[in-house]
Amino acid sequence: MAHVAKYTRGGIQGLSIHLDRKTKNHSNKDIDASKTHLNYDLNQSPGDTLSRLNKRLDQVYCMNRKDVKPVADWIVTLPKELEDKTADEQKEFFQETKNFLDKQYGEKNNISANVHLDETTPHMHYAFVPVVYDKKKEREKVSAKLVLTRNHLKTFHDELDKHLKAKIPHIYERGVVNGQTVGVESVKELKQLKTQEKALNAEIDKLTKQRNDVQNEIKAKNKEVDSINFKTFDIEKKPVAFQKRYIKVDKDEFRDIELQASSATIYRNRFNEQQNRADRLQRENWDLKSKVKKLTEKLDNVLEPLKEKLEFADNMLKKLSKKALNNEVGLDEFYEKFQHKLDEQRQPENKPKIDRDEGPSL
């Protein structure tokens, strides 16, 4: 059972702390600190996860953008049938899994192969820098999009399964895509992801509407400001005899001047008020755009594992349906056995614990 996650630069520090157990205060309550000394790293390169990452990034081209994901992490969980095996046999499983992943992504790109034995279920974190060769510019570059393609993820589990069966048949028989791969907890998690997706979409729609309302109000206020016209009057100056600093002004003209001054003050205050409001609305508009962008990124992160699970579940259903139609097992008999299996997994005493660290199971 394996699941992959991708990390931006902002999340790498936290990932390194978790993989290398750099703190004693763990947010994951499933971690048993008394067993942490049992953990081991199959990557024997000097340094820790973060230093290995920085060293590799110095050797390849990586775009300096916040949304770039220079690290991917496969979490491979020990299959149920190997839980009773010896520590050496379990280590052999993880080592052979690392060998397979090294061939897939390049051993020099691996920055961590930490095996955690201090949690509910033993598992390995295979963290690596997704690197491809740019033929046009003749250099290596970081690109999770080009490395972890849809087709690659679709065939990953089958290829890993074949590799392990060929290399360690004496301990590995059933495979990572059999047994507990899809169960009640996986279906429940899919429903939770769909609910989360729906909530995020609703929030994005709400913020988008607010942003549009703000933009429309800004346009309206700008038009209102542009419509303000300041009137001018031509006043005839009449010098006062022997007084260069003073002029005579007709009484009616003086009243017009007073009205103009009063109107100018009012319009100026209105203009400043509307300008301040327009500036505030513009700032709100920027904030809303930022929120929409963050929520969209969050939604993408939710959808990615959901799509992978749906594709895998669809493939499993096709295989099972084909098996039933080929009369390897009767359809009614298959349904009864499948329903019985679900009933067993729903029993509290039989309900498997989910390792929070291992991510969604595939």
Side-chain angles (χ1 to χ4, degrees):
M1 293 181 286
H3 169 69
V4 68
K6 292 175 283 188
Y7 295 87
T8 60
R9 291 179 184 271
I12 293 172
Q13 181 70 34
L15 177 65
S16 174
I17 291 173
H18 174 74
L19 296 186
D20 300 322
R21 295 293 194 259
K22 294 181 179 179
T23 179
K24 294 182 179 180
N25 299 319
H26 303 291
S27 59
N28 186 349
K29 302 305 178 183
D30 288 337
I31 296 177
D32 185 351
S34 66
K35 296 181 180 180
T36 299
H37 68 281
L38 299 174
N39 296 345
Y40 54 89
D41 189 355
L42 292 173
N43 185 322
Q44 299 300 308
S45 301
D48 59 3
T49 302
L50 196 58
S51 62
R52 294 170 189 163
L53 169 65
N54 291 332
K55 181 179 179 181
R56 184 58 178 140
L57 289 180
D58 287 340
Q59 300 169 348
V60 299
Y61 173 74
C62 183
M63 294 182 66
N64 187 22
R65 282 175 24 187
K66 291 183 178 181
D67 60 337
V68 172
K69 297 177 179 178
V71 172
D73 178 35
W74 274 107
I75 303 174
V76 183
T77 305
L78 186 74
K80 282 281 185 182
E81 59 270 23
L82 299 187
E83 290 182 359
D84 295 331
K85 299 292 184 180
T86 66
D88 288 340
E89 288 174 324
Q90 292 182 1
K91 185 173 183 178
E92 188 177 359
F93 165 80
F94 287 122
Q95 181 61 61
E96 206 50 62
T97 300
K98 178 183 182 297
N99 294 342
F100 169 81
L101 294 169
D102 284 343
K103 291 180 180 178
Q104 294 285 316
Y105 309 113
E107 185 176 5
K108 61 183 179 181
N109 294 318
N110 176 236
I111 60 174
S112 173
N114 273 287
V115 177
H116 289 165
L117 302 177
D118 58 354
E119 297 182 55
T120 306
T121 306
H123 57 275
M124 177 178 70
H125 285 270
Y126 184 91
F128 66 99
V129 181
V131 174
V132 295
Y133 185 74
D134 188 342
K135 294 181 180 179
K136 185 176 181 180
K137 296 188 177 180
E138 297 183 344
R139 65 185 180 187
E140 291 181 309
K141 70 175 183 180
V142 175
S143 177
K145 183 178 180 181
L146 295 178
V147 173
L148 297 171
T149 63
R150 181 182 295 273
N151 288 334
H152 171 66
L153 295 176
K154 204 170 183 179
T155 60
F156 175 86
H157 291 84
D158 285 334
E159 292 178 0
L160 173 59
D161 186 58
K162 292 176 182 177
H163 174 85
L164 294 174
K165 285 179 178 177
K167 295 294 183 180
I168 50 174
H170 53 290
I171 62 173
Y172 184 87
E173 297 177 359
R174 295 181 61 191
V176 292
V177 294
N178 290 330
Q180 300 296 325
T181 302
V182 177
V184 175
E185 291 300 326
S186 297
V187 175
K188 181 179 179 181
E189 189 175 358
L190 281 175
K191 290 181 180 179
Q192 291 175 346
L193 286 171
K194 287 182 179 178
T195 302
Q196 189 176 357
E197 176 195 356
K198 184 176 180 181
L200 287 172
N201 275 324
E203 184 68 16
I204 289 174
D205 291 341
K206 179 181 177 182
L207 289 173
T208 301
K209 183 178 182 302
Q210 290 179 1
R211 184 191 67 187
N212 292 337
D213 291 342
V214 169
Q215 288 177 333
N216 291 334
E217 192 168 353
I218 289 174
K219 291 179 181 178
K221 293 303 178 183
N222 286 334
K223 288 182 179 179
E224 189 174 339
V225 169
D226 293 339
S227 67
I228 298 175
N229 296 318
F230 296 96
K231 297 180 179 179
T232 58
F233 297 92
D234 293 328
I235 300 174
E236 183 182 355
K237 296 181 180 181
K238 300 177 181 178
V240 179
F242 308 109
Q243 295 290 337
K244 295 183 179 181
R245 296 176 55 194
Y246 300 96
I247 61 171
K248 286 183 179 181
V249 179
D250 183 80
K251 186 177 182 180
D252 292 335
E253 290 179 347
F254 182 73
R255 287 177 180 173
D256 289 340
I257 294 173
E258 286 184 318
L259 289 173
Q260 181 188 17
S262 177
S263 299
T265 301
I266 293 173
Y267 283 131
R268 186 179 296 107
N269 291 338
R270 284 180 61 189
F271 176 83
N272 291 336
E273 180 183 346
Q274 299 300 336
Q275 187 64 49
N276 290 336
R277 179 171 176 78
D279 292 341
R280 180 175 61 80
L281 289 172
Q282 188 65 55
R283 288 193 297 271
E284 290 179 3
N285 183 35
W286 291 335
D287 290 341
L288 288 171
K289 284 183 178 179
S290 177
K291 289 180 180 179
V292 169
K293 183 179 179 181
K294 289 180 180 179
L295 281 171
T296 302
E297 292 175 353
K298 188 175 180 181
L299 178 59
D300 290 340
N301 291 334
V302 170
L303 285 176
E304 188 171 341
L306 175 60
K307 289 177 180 178
E308 293 173 11
K309 281 179 171 284
L310 288 174
E311 287 180 4
F312 181 71
D314 183 58
N315 290 334
M316 287 298 296
L317 287 174
K318 288 180 180 179
K319 291 179 180 179
L320 291 172
S321 299
K322 183 178 180 181
K323 186 176 182 181
L325 292 174
N326 289 337
N327 293 324
E328 293 181 21
V329 59
L331 187 58
D332 293 336
E333 181 184 354
F334 163 73
Y335 176 78
E336 290 177 2
K337 288 183 178 180
F338 182 71
Q339 189 63 42
H340 179 67
K341 184 67 175 178
L342 290 180
D343 293 338
E344 285 183 350
Q345 292 181 340
R346 290 193 181 100
Q347 296 299 322
E349 61 272 15
N350 295 329
K351 185 176 181 180
K353 291 183 179 180
I354 299 301
D355 185 350
R356 298 180 187 175
D357 190 38
E358 70 185 67
S361 300
L362 290 180

